[in-house]
Amino acid sequence: LEIQGGIYHLETGRVEFLGHAPTQAEVLASDFTLPPSVKGLPVRTTTDGPMPSVEALQILKDGNKRFVTGETLAGNVTNGMRKALVKEGQAPLAAIVGCADSRAPLETVFDAMPGDIFVLRNAGNTCTHAEGSVVGSLEFCIGALGTKMVMVLGHTACGAIKGATATHLQLKAGNKPKVTKALDALLQGLSVVASKAADELGPNATEEQIVNHTIKLNVFHSIEFLLQYSPLIREKVAAGEVEIQGGVYDLESGEVEFLGRCPTQDTLLKSGAALPPSLA
Protein backbone atom coordinates (compact mmCIF):
# COMPACT_ATOMS: atom_id res chain seq x y z
CA LEU A 1 0.00 0.00 0.00
CA GLU A 2 1.24 3.46 -0.90
CA ILE A 3 -0.21 6.56 0.72
CA GLN A 4 0.69 10.02 -0.51
CA GLY A 5 -0.73 13.53 -0.47
CA GLY A 6 -1.63 16.12 -3.05
CA ILE A 7 -3.26 19.51 -3.61
CA TYR A 8 -5.68 20.27 -6.43
CA HIS A 9 -5.47 23.82 -7.83
CA LEU A 10 -8.93 25.06 -8.77
CA GLU A 11 -7.69 27.65 -11.29
CA THR A 12 -5.18 25.62 -13.28
CA GLY A 13 -6.78 22.21 -12.83
CA ARG A 14 -3.39 20.78 -11.95
CA VAL A 15 -2.61 18.51 -9.00
CA GLU A 16 0.53 19.15 -6.98
CA PHE A 17 1.76 15.72 -5.83
CA LEU A 18 3.35 16.03 -2.38
CA GLY A 19 4.61 12.48 -1.91
CA HIS A 20 4.91 10.70 1.45
CA ALA A 21 4.19 12.41 4.78
CA PRO A 22 7.49 13.58 6.29
CA THR A 23 6.69 11.67 9.48
CA GLN A 24 5.73 8.42 7.75
CA ALA A 25 8.68 6.39 9.02
CA GLU A 26 8.09 7.60 12.59
CA VAL A 27 4.36 6.83 12.49
CA LEU A 28 4.95 3.37 11.01
CA ALA A 29 7.27 2.59 13.90
CA SER A 30 4.67 3.66 16.48
CA ASP A 31 2.36 1.31 18.36
CA PHE A 32 -0.85 3.17 17.51
CA THR A 33 -3.66 0.77 16.71
CA LEU A 34 -7.10 2.36 16.68
CA PRO A 35 -8.30 5.98 16.76
CA PRO A 36 -9.01 7.18 20.33
CA SER A 37 -12.74 7.38 19.60
CA VAL A 38 -12.79 3.73 18.53
CA LYS A 39 -10.68 2.32 21.34
CA GLY A 40 -12.33 0.92 24.40
CA LEU A 41 -11.61 -0.69 27.73
CA PRO A 42 -12.51 -4.20 28.86
CA VAL A 43 -14.54 -4.96 31.96
CA ARG A 44 -13.03 -6.66 34.99
CA THR A 45 -14.59 -9.82 36.40
CA THR A 46 -13.56 -12.45 38.92
CA THR A 47 -11.77 -14.31 36.12
CA ASP A 48 -9.14 -11.53 36.22
CA GLY A 49 -8.35 -12.15 39.87
CA PRO A 50 -7.42 -9.50 42.48
CA MET A 51 -5.32 -6.61 41.21
CA PRO A 52 -2.25 -5.54 43.25
CA SER A 53 -2.67 -2.13 44.85
CA VAL A 54 0.34 -0.63 43.06
CA GLU A 55 -1.11 -1.54 39.69
CA ALA A 56 -4.60 -0.39 40.68
CA LEU A 57 -3.31 2.99 41.82
CA GLN A 58 -1.47 3.46 38.53
CA ILE A 59 -4.64 2.64 36.59
CA LEU A 60 -6.50 5.30 38.57
CA LYS A 61 -3.76 7.82 37.80
CA ASP A 62 -3.74 6.93 34.10
CA GLY A 63 -7.52 7.13 33.93
CA ASN A 64 -7.57 10.56 35.54
CA LYS A 65 -4.93 11.76 33.11
CA ARG A 66 -7.08 10.62 30.17
CA PHE A 67 -10.07 12.40 31.70
CA VAL A 68 -8.11 15.65 32.05
CA THR A 69 -6.79 15.56 28.48
CA GLY A 70 -10.12 14.54 26.97
CA GLU A 71 -8.78 11.21 25.70
CA THR A 72 -11.18 8.97 27.62
CA LEU A 73 -11.60 5.32 26.66
CA ALA A 74 -14.37 4.13 28.96
CA GLY A 75 -17.83 3.58 27.54
CA ASN A 76 -19.05 1.40 24.69
CA VAL A 77 -20.32 -1.21 27.13
CA THR A 78 -21.60 -4.16 25.18
CA ASN A 79 -24.31 -6.62 26.09
CA GLY A 80 -21.62 -9.28 26.39
CA MET A 81 -19.75 -7.17 28.93
CA ARG A 82 -22.85 -6.71 31.07
CA LYS A 83 -23.56 -10.44 30.95
CA ALA A 84 -19.95 -11.22 31.93
CA LEU A 85 -20.20 -8.96 34.97
CA VAL A 86 -23.33 -10.82 36.07
CA LYS A 87 -22.15 -14.33 35.24
CA GLU A 88 -18.54 -14.06 36.44
CA GLY A 89 -19.08 -11.50 39.20
CA GLN A 90 -17.39 -8.22 40.02
CA ALA A 91 -13.73 -7.74 40.92
CA PRO A 92 -13.23 -3.99 41.48
CA LEU A 93 -9.67 -2.77 41.15
CA ALA A 94 -10.35 -0.09 43.80
CA ALA A 95 -12.87 1.07 46.38
CA ILE A 96 -13.34 4.82 46.64
CA VAL A 97 -15.08 6.82 49.34
CA GLY A 98 -16.03 10.09 47.66
CA CYS A 99 -18.32 13.06 48.04
CA ALA A 100 -21.91 12.98 46.79
CA ASP A 101 -21.34 16.26 44.91
CA SER A 102 -22.77 15.87 41.40
CA ARG A 103 -19.69 17.55 39.96
CA ALA A 104 -17.40 14.78 41.15
CA PRO A 105 -18.60 11.54 39.49
CA LEU A 106 -15.94 9.02 40.46
CA GLU A 107 -16.17 6.60 37.52
CA THR A 108 -15.96 9.54 35.10
CA VAL A 109 -13.06 11.22 36.90
CA PHE A 110 -11.01 8.03 36.61
CA ASP A 111 -12.28 7.05 33.14
CA ALA A 112 -13.44 3.71 34.53
CA MET A 113 -15.69 0.97 33.22
CA PRO A 114 -18.58 -0.71 35.07
CA GLY A 115 -17.08 -3.12 37.59
CA ASP A 116 -13.82 -1.16 37.99
CA ILE A 117 -14.61 0.91 41.07
CA PHE A 118 -16.60 0.05 44.19
CA VAL A 119 -18.13 3.45 44.94
CA LEU A 120 -19.26 4.89 48.28
CA ARG A 121 -20.44 8.51 48.26
CA ASN A 122 -21.91 10.91 50.80
CA ALA A 123 -21.73 14.63 51.54
CA GLY A 124 -18.17 15.39 52.63
CA ASN A 125 -16.73 11.92 51.92
CA THR A 126 -17.00 11.22 55.62
CA CYS A 127 -17.71 8.46 58.08
CA THR A 128 -19.13 10.87 60.67
CA HIS A 129 -22.79 9.87 60.40
CA ALA A 130 -22.67 6.94 57.98
CA GLU A 131 -19.95 5.00 59.72
CA GLY A 132 -21.64 1.62 59.83
CA SER A 133 -22.61 1.54 56.17
CA VAL A 134 -19.28 2.95 54.97
CA VAL A 135 -17.11 0.69 57.11
CA GLY A 136 -19.27 -2.37 56.47
CA SER A 137 -19.34 -1.78 52.73
CA LEU A 138 -15.57 -1.40 52.56
CA GLU A 139 -15.12 -4.55 54.61
CA PHE A 140 -17.28 -6.38 52.09
CA CYS A 141 -15.23 -5.00 49.21
CA ILE A 142 -11.78 -5.88 50.58
CA GLY A 143 -13.04 -9.14 52.06
CA ALA A 144 -15.55 -10.84 49.77
CA LEU A 145 -14.47 -9.07 46.58
CA GLY A 146 -10.73 -9.10 47.26
CA THR A 147 -10.06 -5.45 46.37
CA LYS A 148 -6.55 -4.31 47.32
CA MET A 149 -6.76 -0.53 46.80
CA VAL A 150 -8.91 1.84 48.89
CA MET A 151 -9.02 5.60 48.35
CA VAL A 152 -10.77 8.43 50.16
CA LEU A 153 -11.30 11.27 47.69
CA GLY A 154 -12.24 14.81 48.64
CA HIS A 155 -12.68 17.68 46.20
CA THR A 156 -12.20 21.42 45.96
CA ALA A 157 -15.08 23.80 46.64
CA CYS A 158 -16.82 21.18 48.79
CA GLY A 159 -20.13 22.51 50.06
CA ALA A 160 -20.11 20.22 53.09
CA ILE A 161 -16.68 21.44 54.13
CA LYS A 162 -17.69 25.07 53.59
CA GLY A 163 -20.70 24.47 55.83
CA ALA A 164 -18.57 22.71 58.44
CA THR A 165 -16.11 25.61 58.45
CA ALA A 166 -18.93 28.10 58.89
CA THR A 167 -20.23 25.99 61.77
CA HIS A 168 -16.77 25.96 63.37
CA LEU A 169 -16.51 29.75 63.12
CA GLN A 170 -19.96 30.14 64.69
CA LEU A 171 -19.01 27.82 67.55
CA LYS A 172 -15.76 29.71 68.04
CA ALA A 173 -17.74 32.95 68.27
CA GLY A 174 -19.95 31.42 70.94
CA ASN A 175 -22.96 30.94 68.69
CA LYS A 176 -23.82 27.27 68.81
CA PRO A 177 -26.01 26.42 65.80
CA LYS A 178 -29.24 24.55 66.47
CA VAL A 179 -29.40 20.95 65.30
CA THR A 180 -32.81 20.63 63.68
CA LYS A 181 -32.02 18.25 60.82
CA ALA A 182 -29.55 15.55 59.81
CA LEU A 183 -27.46 18.01 57.80
CA ASP A 184 -26.86 20.14 60.90
CA ALA A 185 -25.50 17.10 62.75
CA LEU A 186 -23.30 16.23 59.76
CA LEU A 187 -21.81 19.72 59.63
CA GLN A 188 -21.18 19.75 63.37
CA GLY A 189 -19.36 16.44 63.06
CA LEU A 190 -17.17 17.81 60.27
CA SER A 191 -16.57 21.06 62.16
CA VAL A 192 -14.09 19.17 64.35
CA VAL A 193 -11.87 18.80 61.28
CA ALA A 194 -12.32 22.49 60.41
CA SER A 195 -11.27 23.38 63.96
CA LYS A 196 -8.09 21.35 63.58
CA ALA A 197 -7.37 23.02 60.24
CA ALA A 198 -7.85 26.46 61.77
CA ASP A 199 -5.50 25.63 64.64
CA GLU A 200 -2.81 24.45 62.23
CA LEU A 201 -3.10 27.58 60.07
CA GLY A 202 -3.07 30.06 62.93
CA PRO A 203 -5.23 33.05 63.92
CA ASN A 204 -4.65 35.04 60.71
CA ALA A 205 -6.07 32.38 58.38
CA THR A 206 -9.02 33.40 56.21
CA GLU A 207 -12.21 31.35 55.98
CA GLU A 208 -11.24 30.29 52.45
CA GLN A 209 -7.84 29.09 53.65
CA ILE A 210 -9.46 27.11 56.43
CA VAL A 211 -11.87 25.50 53.96
CA ASN A 212 -9.05 24.49 51.60
CA HIS A 213 -6.96 23.02 54.41
CA THR A 214 -9.97 21.25 55.90
CA ILE A 215 -10.65 19.51 52.59
CA LYS A 216 -7.28 17.74 52.83
CA LEU A 217 -7.45 17.10 56.56
CA ASN A 218 -10.92 15.62 56.16
CA VAL A 219 -9.59 13.04 53.70
CA PHE A 220 -7.10 11.83 56.30
CA HIS A 221 -9.74 12.14 59.04
CA SER A 222 -11.89 9.61 57.19
CA ILE A 223 -8.92 7.31 56.63
CA GLU A 224 -8.08 7.52 60.33
CA PHE A 225 -11.64 6.53 61.20
CA LEU A 226 -11.50 3.50 58.90
CA LEU A 227 -8.18 2.33 60.31
CA GLN A 228 -9.24 2.92 63.89
CA TYR A 229 -12.65 1.29 63.84
CA SER A 230 -12.34 -1.58 61.38
CA PRO A 231 -10.26 -4.54 62.56
CA LEU A 232 -10.48 -6.09 59.09
CA ILE A 233 -9.21 -2.99 57.27
CA ARG A 234 -6.52 -2.48 59.89
CA GLU A 235 -5.34 -6.08 59.70
CA LYS A 236 -5.19 -6.15 55.91
CA VAL A 237 -3.34 -2.83 55.73
CA ALA A 238 -0.86 -3.99 58.39
CA ALA A 239 -0.27 -7.22 56.47
CA GLY A 240 0.36 -5.32 53.24
CA GLU A 241 -2.68 -6.89 51.60
CA VAL A 242 -4.58 -3.62 51.22
CA GLU A 243 -3.39 -0.08 50.52
CA ILE A 244 -5.45 2.91 51.67
CA GLN A 245 -4.60 6.39 50.42
CA GLY A 246 -6.16 9.80 49.97
CA GLY A 247 -6.69 12.28 47.17
CA VAL A 248 -8.35 15.57 46.29
CA TYR A 249 -10.18 16.15 43.02
CA ASP A 250 -9.95 19.65 41.54
CA LEU A 251 -13.35 20.58 40.13
CA GLU A 252 -11.89 23.14 37.72
CA SER A 253 -8.87 21.33 36.28
CA GLY A 254 -10.23 17.79 36.57
CA GLU A 255 -6.95 16.65 38.10
CA VAL A 256 -6.69 14.45 41.16
CA GLU A 257 -3.97 15.29 43.65
CA PHE A 258 -2.86 11.96 45.08
CA LEU A 259 -2.00 12.50 48.75
CA GLY A 260 -0.62 9.08 49.60
CA ARG A 261 -0.99 7.39 52.96
CA CYS A 262 -2.39 8.95 56.10
CA PRO A 263 0.50 10.44 58.16
CA THR A 264 -0.76 8.67 61.29
CA GLN A 265 -1.19 5.24 59.68
CA ASP A 266 1.58 3.47 61.61
CA THR A 267 0.12 4.62 64.93
CA LEU A 268 -3.44 3.74 63.98
CA LEU A 269 -2.47 0.24 62.92
CA LYS A 270 -1.77 -0.42 66.58
CA SER A 271 -5.25 0.75 67.60
CA GLY A 272 -7.30 -1.55 69.74
CA ALA A 273 -10.73 -0.10 68.93
CA ALA A 274 -13.21 -2.54 67.42
CA LEU A 275 -16.52 -1.05 66.30
CA PRO A 276 -17.54 2.46 65.22
CA PRO A 277 -18.90 4.49 68.17
CA SER A 278 -22.52 4.28 66.97
CA LEU A 279 -22.31 0.48 66.78
CA ALA A 280 -20.39 -0.19 69.98
Side-chain angles (χ1 to χ4, degrees):
L1 177 65
E2 185 75 16
I3 181 168
Q4 297 191 14
I7 297 176
Y8 171 62
H9 293 263
L10 293 177
E11 292 185 2
T12 66
R14 293 183 178 180
V15 173
E16 179 185 359
F17 294 91
L18 302 177
H20 297 145
T23 58
Q24 176 172 297
E26 179 183 348
V27 174
L28 290 176
S30 73
D31 58 358
F32 296 142
T33 53
L34 293 174
S37 62
V38 179
K39 287 183 178 180
L41 295 173
V43 293
R44 285 186 51 79
T45 68
T46 54
T47 59
D48 296 299
M51 178 177 289
S53 60
V54 173
E55 186 178 345
L57 181 60
Q58 188 59 52
I59 287 178
L60 292 177
K61 290 181 177 180
D62 292 343
N64 179 243
K65 185 179 296 184
R66 292 194 303 271
F67 170 69
V68 171
T69 59
E71 300 174 346
T72 55
L73 299 177
N76 299 321
V77 182
T78 66
N79 189 44
M81 290 176 174
R82 288 188 291 271
K83 288 183 177 180
L85 284 169
V86 174
K87 180 181 179 181
E88 306 297 342
Q90 61 176 319
L93 61 91
I96 302 181
V97 179
C99 183
D101 194 302
S102 62
R103 300 166 295 177
L106 300 183
E107 294 93 338
T108 303
V109 167
F110 292 105
D111 190 27
M113 292 287 283
D116 281 348
I117 301 176
F118 191 87
V119 174
L120 296 166
R121 297 175 68 182
N122 60 39
N125 43 276
T126 179
C127 300
T128 304
H129 289 279
E131 50 208 43
S133 62
V134 172
V135 174
S137 295
L138 283 177
E139 289 177 344
F140 169 73
C141 187
I142 66 173
L145 302 182
T147 299
K148 307 294 184 183
M149 181 71 218
V150 176
M151 174 170 285
V152 176
L153 186 71
H155 68 87
T156 59
C158 180
I161 298 301
K162 288 181 179 179
T165 301
T167 298
H168 155 69
L169 294 175
Q170 290 180 48
L171 290 169
K172 186 177 180 181
N175 303 318
K176 186 175 182 179
K178 293 182 179 180
V179 178
T180 60
K181 51 186 181 296
L183 176 60
D184 298 332
L186 173 67
L187 296 181
Q188 280 206 11
L190 288 172
S191 70
V192 176
V193 188
S195 177
K196 181 180 179 182
D199 289 342
E200 290 186 2
L201 292 174
N204 296 322
T206 65
E207 185 170 349
E208 181 180 3
Q209 289 173 329
I210 296 174
V211 168
N212 292 335
H213 193 40
T214 303
I215 287 170
K216 285 190 177 182
L217 289 188
N218 186 51
V219 168
F220 290 131
H221 181 72
S222 294
I223 293 176
E224 288 174 345
F225 189 98
L226 295 171
L227 289 172
Q228 185 175 2
Y229 291 113
S230 172
L232 179 63
I233 294 175
R234 194 165 56 248
E235 290 167 8
K236 285 188 173 291
V237 171
E241 298 176 12
V242 168
E243 183 74 17
I244 181 167
Q245 297 191 16
V248 174
Y249 170 60
D250 189 305
L251 291 182
E252 291 190 11
S253 70
E255 294 183 0
V256 171
E257 178 186 1
F258 293 88
L259 302 177
R261 295 175 177 175
C262 177
T264 58
Q265 175 172 299
D266 290 343
T267 301
L268 291 168
L269 290 180
K270 302 173 184 177
S271 168
L275 291 174
S278 65
L279 301 179

